[in-house]
Amino acid sequence: MKFDNILEEIDGCGWFQVLIVTLLCIPRVILPCHFLLNNFIAAVPSHHCDLSALDDGSLFENLTQEQRLTVSVPVQEDGTPSSCKMFPEPQFHILSNSNNSDLATVPCQNGWAYDNSTFKSTMATEWDLVCDRKGMNKATATIFFVGVMIGAIAFGTLTDKFGRKPMLLVSYTISMVFGFASAFSNSYTMFGVMRFFTGFGLTGISIISTVLSVEWVDIKHRALIGITGSMAWSFGNMMLAGIAYQVNDWRMLMIAVSAPLGLAIITWWWLPESARWLIANGKVERAHLYLEKCARFNNRKDFTSKIKLEHLSDVVGTDNHNKTYSYLDLVRTPKMRRLALLTGIVWYGVASTYYGISLNITGFGLNVYLTHFIYSAIEVPAKMVVYFCLDTIGRKHCQAGTLLLTGTCIAINIFVPKGQWHVRTIVAVLGKGLSEASFTTVILYTAELYPTVVRQNGLGYNNFMARLGVSIAPLIILLEDVWKPLPEVIICCVSILSGLVAFLLPETHNARLPETIEDIEQTKKRNPIFVSPLEKTEILLKSQKNNELDQ
């Protein structure tokens, strides 16, 4: 008997599973509020050199603000005042002769003056992370995602060793403590350190909540639970636009998006440990208790009479319950090694594409809040479409198709003129929806591909690859200074390449979750995963012939 058979006996998608998903939705709503927070706390409003030092009581004092800008700041090619240059001294003759192209300029001497009509304060305005220092502003996102990347490796190992539930509490605590500490940072360096550890903790919530949900659900409802949990991200993403609109001071915004983690810590007490993990690690009695609780919740009270405690140790089918698995087990055997390579490439492509689009929400003729909300809202219908596609065309084709279509949308926008912002916005929003669909698919798909004994390690490794892509994404956007379309070209190529690689992965639709590495290596004999349609037909014909001979 397999664990999925036990789930069918106790109802693999009953009130117990609904409780788990609901409790895990609370912290998952917080994830996008931090992962995409840089769109607001690191926003760079319109700015120009501070001219207050030039107000020395001379003729300059009698000029209007517009005239002061005219005589002090050169004009850019688009007709707007320069953000980073000024004249060494006021050029009063420009008021009668508008030609200032041949005049000498110098970098801003006395700081900058910012337009505070949209944002009361951001990191960029508080620490002057503009002009020559704008790379430091983008680097804050990279620092955060490096923390996420390292956290993925750490929590992947620790969760498979110590269990899903204890490490989830650790991730809650780390995220809340350092999230609040970030808001009280008094320097750029301190903020970078605090954001690193915030990302470190948040990645635990991301990967553990996914695995815990999937491991408690039966085969036919995995897609439903996966999409439902993913919807929490989309709603959190939409909430971020509203919260940021109401709280336009970056420090208060940090506090606002970190506070709900306190509620997540309280609800943690009602979460169960993964029974799959308990059985795989020889903790059969605790697993039996949780299974009994699940049966009671789901009104399947005859479970105890059907499933004996002594039979549970054979459910997972591992011979050594005391064996400790590590990331090396992902590459020790041929099929696991191939699986790790392919999923790593796909995760890198999915994440760099999603965040490459999400972290660049300017240039569409809309304000930053509305653009972010539209980008978030499109994720909801995209996930609904994915839900039906996952059970009709399968996981593999969903994964490959969404990545290829995302790359196509990015490619179209490369050739659409900047002036046609209506068209660019529609195509960009469609691409954003498709990129989110690919992210939703890859999370569920990967959880189904890796066996229970290394599932958390597998997700940890793939999250590492994803965050590697995300860490580089903000820096790729800086390449627009080299050639304006270069970031879009790079992201487009990455999306299409990873989509093609996804075709090499096996299908997991309607297949049992693998429990051990042996299940992966011996799949053709024991499991429909990794078996092509032609091979399935051959197996079926052989089976029919054997039945005829037996008769």
Side-chain angles (χ1 to χ4, degrees), residues 47-51 73 82-86 107-109 111-113:
H47 57 281
H48 58 77
C49 298
D50 187 1
L51 308 177
V73 177
S82 173
S83 299
C84 304
K85 298 289 185 180
M86 64 182 295
C108 295
Q109 303 296 299
W112 289 263

Side-chain angles (χ1 to χ4, degrees), residues 209-437:
S209 61
T210 299
V211 170
L212 192 56
S213 299
V214 170
E215 290 185 339
W216 269 108
V217 180
D218 59 16
I219 295 174
K220 62 182 179 180
H221 292 105
R222 284 203 304 257
L224 174 63
I225 295 300
I227 298 297
T228 302
S230 181
M231 282 292 185
W233 172 283
S234 299
F235 287 119
N237 212 355
M238 288 187 282
M239 285 172 53
L240 175 59
I243 295 171
Y245 180 77
Q246 294 295 328
V247 185
N248 56 10
D249 177 84
W250 75 271
R251 293 182 184 274
M252 294 305 299
L253 182 57
M254 291 287 305
I255 294 173
V257 298
S258 300
L261 286 168
L263 178 60
I265 291 176
I266 295 173
T267 60
W268 173 86
W269 296 97
W270 290 285
L271 283 171
E273 179 58 274
S274 168
R276 287 182 190 268
W277 179 85
L278 289 170
I279 296 172
N281 287 271
K283 305 178 188 295
V284 180
E285 292 184 2
R286 282 188 63 199
H288 194 265
L289 289 175
Y290 280 121
L291 290 170
E292 284 184 327
K293 183 182 293 186
C294 178
R296 288 196 302 271
F297 259 82
N298 296 341
N299 294 319
R300 300 292 179 89
K301 298 180 180 179
D302 57 343
F303 164 75
T304 307
S305 60
K306 291 184 178 181
I307 308 298
K308 301 298 182 183
L309 183 62
E310 56 270 18
H311 296 159
L312 284 180
S313 58
D314 299 324
V315 166
V316 171
T318 180
D319 295 330
N320 188 359
H321 293 300
N322 296 320
K323 180 178 179 180
T324 300
Y325 292 88
S326 68
Y327 286 104
L328 291 177
D329 291 291
L330 300 179
V331 295
R332 288 188 199 277
T333 53
K335 288 186 180 178
M336 283 297 301
R337 191 159 49 241
R338 180 177 184 271
L339 177 62
L341 174 64
L342 296 179
T343 56
I345 294 173
V346 171
W347 271 80
Y348 180 93
V350 168
S352 59
T353 301
Y354 178 85
Y355 284 97
I357 297 173
S358 300
L359 294 174
N360 188 22
I361 60 175
T362 58
F364 296 108
L366 304 173
N367 71 58
V368 65
Y369 302 109
L370 183 56
T371 303
H372 186 93
F373 181 82
I374 293 173
Y375 267 15
S376 306
I378 192 62
E379 295 180 1
V380 176
K383 289 177 180 180
M384 291 180 179
V385 172
V386 164
Y387 170 65
F388 292 104
C389 290
L390 286 172
D391 286 332
T392 52
I393 65 175
R395 278 58 160 160
K396 176 168 69 174
H397 292 96
C398 265
Q399 188 66 74
T402 51
L403 281 168
L404 293 174
L405 289 173
T406 301
T408 302
C409 289
I410 297 172
I412 291 173
N413 257 358
I414 293 174
F415 298 100
V416 176
K418 296 287 185 181
Q420 299 182 15
W421 64 267
H422 295 87
V423 178
R424 289 177 57 82
T425 301
I426 293 172
V427 175
V429 168
L430 180 59
K432 175 60 165 59
L434 289 166
S435 69
E436 171 57 29

Side-chain angles (χ1 to χ4, degrees), residues 11-85:
D11 191 354
C13 191
W15 287 110
F16 189 76
Q17 284 75 13
V18 170
L19 175 65
I20 293 173
V21 173
T22 302
L23 294 179
L24 290 176
C25 277
I26 297 171
R28 293 183 77 165
V29 166
I30 306 304
L31 292 177
C33 293
H34 276 278
F35 279 56
L36 296 172
L37 191 59
N38 259 52
N39 281 338
F40 304 102
I41 65 171
V44 180
S46 299
H47 57 281
H48 58 77
C49 298
D50 187 1
L51 308 177
S52 59
L54 300 178
D55 191 1
D56 57 359
S58 62
L59 178 61
F60 192 82
E61 183 182 8
N62 298 322
L63 300 179
T64 65
Q65 181 62 29
E66 183 178 352
Q67 289 175 327
R68 293 182 181 188
L69 281 175
T70 301
V71 302
S72 305
V73 177
V75 176
Q76 302 177 116
E77 292 181 359
D78 60 359
T80 59
S82 173
S83 299
C84 304
K85 298 289 185 180

Side-chain angles (χ1 to χ4, degrees), residues 160-204:
D160 272 339
K161 183 175 182 180
F162 298 107
R164 286 36 169 159
K165 186 177 179 179
M167 297 314 300
L168 186 61
L169 180 60
V170 172
S171 64
Y172 284 170
T173 306
I174 292 175
S175 302
M176 188 174 72
V177 170
F178 286 100
F180 279 119
S182 300
F184 297 97
S185 301
N186 56 15
S187 68
Y188 177 86
T189 302
M190 179 181 176
F191 178 80
V193 173
M194 296 301 102
R195 283 296 280 169
F196 173 89
F197 286 106
T198 304
F200 182 92
L202 287 169
T203 193

Side-chain angles (χ1 to χ4, degrees), residues 468-496:
L468 178 63
V470 178
S471 301
I472 298 173
L475 305 181
I476 291 176
I477 296 174
L478 289 175
L479 294 176
E480 65 183 5
D481 293 339
V482 179
W483 181 44
K484 195 68 174 177
L486 185 56
E488 293 175 298
V489 171
I490 294 174
I491 294 171
C492 173
C493 293
V494 169
S495 179
I496 292 174

